[in-house]
């Protein structure tokens, strides 16, 4: 539990998609005064977990992002999924990829929460500097959602393959009892990755989730097919 975890707990228990808090409200939640830098520098509120542990514990680990108004001493906090959808609508993208990926992550989290019979939240594992899409309160369950497709619908996606390998490695480092990656959109991506590198995976389950059918398939079993 970090110094700013009380803010994270507050956001975790809040059902809103967007909140506007005065700095004094934030201080009431935390139980102590914000540092001078929080009142004077926008950088203190940056959504950067690499060097800002207060951001990770305070809002990033719970899947929230901030926009600060220093002149009025107010911070606006929005769920990442809500912010992504809003930004996608503002730029009027035709593909809808951001919306689809955000919807997939949200529904996958709901499905996996039912699958493991425990609520899962976006959060940082205490032993790995990474915000995972799904973690249980006791960190025995850790997972990430990936919404990938083949390049131009046909070619292998080398950059995405590298990301999958990185996430498998990070999940293995958590030492969690249940570790998983859940994929959506194009099943060929995780299937092709497993064909090449599956034998190197140690204890990380690969799932593919069909939103429309509300069905999940485990991909890296001996029989390579397991439905739920």
């Amino acid at each position: 539990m970090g110094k700013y975890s009380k803010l994270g707990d507050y956001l975790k228990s809040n059902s809103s998609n967007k909140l506007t808090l005065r700095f004094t409200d934030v201080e009431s939640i935390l139980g102590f005064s914000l540092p001078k830098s929080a009142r004077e520098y926008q950088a203190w509120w940056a959504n950067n977990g690499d060097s800002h542990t207060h951001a990770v514990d305070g809002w990033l680990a719970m899947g929230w992002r901030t926009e600060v108004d220093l002149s009025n001493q107010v911070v606006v906090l929005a769920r990442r999924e809500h912010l992504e959808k809003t930004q996608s609508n503002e730029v009027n993208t035709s593909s809808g990829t951001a919306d689809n990926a955000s919807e997939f992550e949200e529904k996958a989290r709901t499905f996996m929460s039912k699958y493991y019979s425990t609520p899962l939240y976006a959060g940082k594992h205490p032993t790995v500097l990474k915000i995972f899409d799904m973690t249980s309160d006791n960190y025995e369950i850790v997972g990430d959602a990936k919404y990938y497709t083949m390049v131009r619908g046909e070619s292998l996606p080398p950059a995405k393959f590298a990301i999958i390998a990185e996430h498998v490695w990070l999940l293995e480092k958590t030492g969690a009892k249940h570790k998983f990656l859940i994929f959506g959109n194009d099943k060929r991506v995780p299937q092709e990755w497993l064909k090449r590198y599956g034998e190197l995976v140690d204890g990380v389950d690969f799932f593919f989730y069909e939103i429309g059918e509300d069905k999940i398939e485990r991909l890296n079993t001996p029989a390579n097919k397991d439905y739920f």
Side-chain angles (χ1 to χ4, degrees):
M1 295 290 289
K3 182 178 178 181
Y4 291 86
S5 295
K6 286 186 178 180
L7 177 58
D9 292 340
Y10 176 83
L11 295 174
K12 180 178 178 180
S13 63
N14 197 289
S15 59
S16 302
N17 286 322
K18 191 174 183 180
L19 294 171
T20 300
L21 299 176
R22 296 167 297 181
F23 286 1
T24 52
D25 296 328
V26 176
E27 291 173 334
S28 295
I29 293 168
L30 293 171
F32 57 84
S33 298
L34 289 168
K36 183 179 179 181
S37 55
R39 296 182 175 277
E40 296 182 353
Y41 302 107
Q42 288 190 347
W44 193 92
W45 299 94
N47 297 303
N48 179 3
D50 293 336
S51 58
H52 297 77
T53 56
H54 63 270
V56 173
D57 294 334
W59 60 87
L60 289 177
M62 300 304 146
W64 290 67
R65 299 294 183 269
T66 61
E67 291 182 4
V68 66
D69 180 353
L70 292 178
S71 61
N72 291 309
Q73 301 284 275
V74 167
V75 59
V76 178
L77 298 109
R79 292 185 186 275
R80 182 180 62 185
E81 297 91 345
H82 175 76
L83 192 60
E84 287 175 349
K85 288 182 179 181
T86 301
Q87 291 173 340
S88 178
N89 289 336
E90 287 176 350
V91 299
N92 193 28
T93 57
S94 59
S95 65
T97 301
D99 282 347
N100 292 339
S102 178
E103 178 188 5
F104 170 75
E105 181 181 322
E106 182 178 348
K107 291 190 175 182
R109 182 181 295 113
T110 299
F111 192 99
M112 297 307 285
S113 295
K114 294 179 181 177
Y115 175 71
Y116 286 112
S117 300
T118 189
L120 300 177
Y121 309 94
K124 185 187 71 170
H125 194 275
T127 63
V128 178
L129 189 60
K130 160 93 171 70
I131 299 173
F132 291 100
D133 296 326
M134 303 175 212
T135 63
S136 60
D137 286 333
N138 59 7
Y139 301 110
E140 289 190 355
I141 305 169
V142 183
D144 240 29
K146 301 298 171 196
Y147 193 77
Y148 289 159
T149 186
M150 304 290 272
V151 178
R152 291 183 293 276
E154 298 179 358
S155 304
L156 296 177
K160 293 170 185 174
F161 271 27
I163 293 173
I164 294 171
E166 177 187 0
H167 282 70
V168 167
W169 177 70
L170 288 170
L171 284 165
E172 290 174 346
K173 285 179 66 68
T174 66
K177 183 177 180 181
H178 300 287
K179 305 175 285 290
F180 67 91
L181 287 173
I182 181 167
F183 293 83
N185 194 17
D186 193 335
K187 187 164 60 175
R188 293 175 297 171
V189 175
Q191 284 179 327
E192 289 296 328
W193 193 93
L194 286 169
K195 284 181 182 178
R196 296 186 177 205
Y197 312 111
E199 62 182 20
L200 302 177
V201 178
D202 183 17
V204 178
D205 291 325
F206 277 52
F207 295 100
F208 185 78
Y209 178 43
E210 287 281 2
I211 293 181
E213 300 180 17
D214 203 30
K215 181 178 68 175
I216 192 169
E217 177 185 352
R218 184 184 288 131
L219 300 176
N220 57 337
T221 62
N224 204 36
K225 187 175 291 186
D226 196 356
Y227 295 94
F228 302 91

